[in-house]
């Protein structure tokens, strides 16, 4: 079980929950479990999500294992230039 902080619009799409506990071994499974629990997250995730694990940002490495006790944040991907 990992605790995940949902940032910005992601929290709103998760029924206002900014922190949730999820049973997942890697980022890909985390996404799957979150969408099962909060279907409103799927369109936001399809647009792009950044995952921060203990301060390191992962943008496409969805096989990254989730260490026990890690600080995990999900953020909508920032775009611009």
């Amino acid at each position: 079980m990992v605790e995940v902080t949902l940032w910005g619009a992601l929290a709103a799409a998760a029924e206002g929950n900014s922190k949730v506990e999820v049973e997942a071994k890697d980022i890909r499974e985390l996404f799957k479990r979150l969408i099962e629990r909060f279907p409103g997250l799927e369109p936001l995730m399809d647009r792009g999500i950044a995952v921060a694990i203990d301060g390191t940002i992962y943008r496409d490495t969805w096989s990254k294992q989730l260490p026990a006790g890690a600080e995990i944040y999900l953020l909508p991907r920032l775009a611009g230039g």
Side-chain angles (χ1 to χ4, degrees), residues 10-52:
L10 296 175
E15 301 170 3
N17 293 293
S18 61
K19 288 191 185 277
V20 295
E21 288 193 351
V22 180
E23 185 71 39
K25 67 180 185 306
D26 59 28
I27 294 173
R28 183 174 285 111
E29 185 176 5
L30 173 67
F31 287 175
K32 180 182 176 196
R33 300 278 183 243
L34 284 170
I35 290 169
E36 287 171 355
R37 189 166 162 192
F38 305 109
L41 285 172
E42 189 166 18
L44 296 171
M45 290 185 167
D46 287 345
R47 283 186 227 142
I49 296 290
V51 180

Side-chain angles (χ1 to χ4, degrees), residues 5 7-8 13 18 25 30 43 49 54 56-57 62 68-69 76:
T5 300
W7 197 259
S18 61
K25 67 180 185 306
L30 173 67
I49 296 290
D54 291 332
T56 300
I57 296 177
W62 304 146

Side-chain angles (χ1 to χ4, degrees), residues 3 48 73 75 80:
E3 183 178 82
Y73 284 81
L75 309 106

